[in-house]
């Protein structure tokens, strides 16, 4: 599900002189896990959603390491 208009994140990043580090899925498992205190990356580490969040974390760490 895309809650933002097409390419809006890239346009904002370009406007502010930065880049989009990652795109993460909006999934019901995230909200449910948060409500229950069960983060998806811990309780379902092999799910596609968890893998996307972990990849995002790696990209953010890498980006910050370049600064």
């Amino acid at each position: 599900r895309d809650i933002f208009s097409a390419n809006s994140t890239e346009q904002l990043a370009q406007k502010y002189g930065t880049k989009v580090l990652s795109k993460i899925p909006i999934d019901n498992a995230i909200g449910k896990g948060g409500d229950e205190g069960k983060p998806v990356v811990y309780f379902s580490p092999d799910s596609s959603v968890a893998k996307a969040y972990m990849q995002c974390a790696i990209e953010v760490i890498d980006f910050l390491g370049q600064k």
Side-chain angles (χ1 to χ4, degrees):
R1 171 169 67 158
D2 189 6
I3 61 172
F4 303 104
S5 61
N7 298 321
S8 64
T9 52
E10 286 85 0
Q11 290 170 355
L12 281 172
Q14 187 176 28
K15 178 180 177 180
Y16 291 102
T18 190
K19 66 179 187 173
V20 176
L21 297 177
S22 186
K23 294 185 178 188
I24 54 175
I26 304 299
D27 188 279
N28 290 339
I30 303 301
K32 184 175 187 249
D35 290 344
E36 296 175 359
K38 299 177 179 177
V40 70
V41 295
Y42 182 79
F43 287 95
S44 298
D46 294 326
S47 70
S48 62
V49 174
K51 288 177 182 179
Y53 273 80
M54 292 302 293
Q55 183 60 40
C56 176
I58 290 167
E59 291 175 24
V60 170
I61 290 166
D62 289 346
F63 178 77
L64 293 174
Q66 296 172 11
K67 295 291 179 179

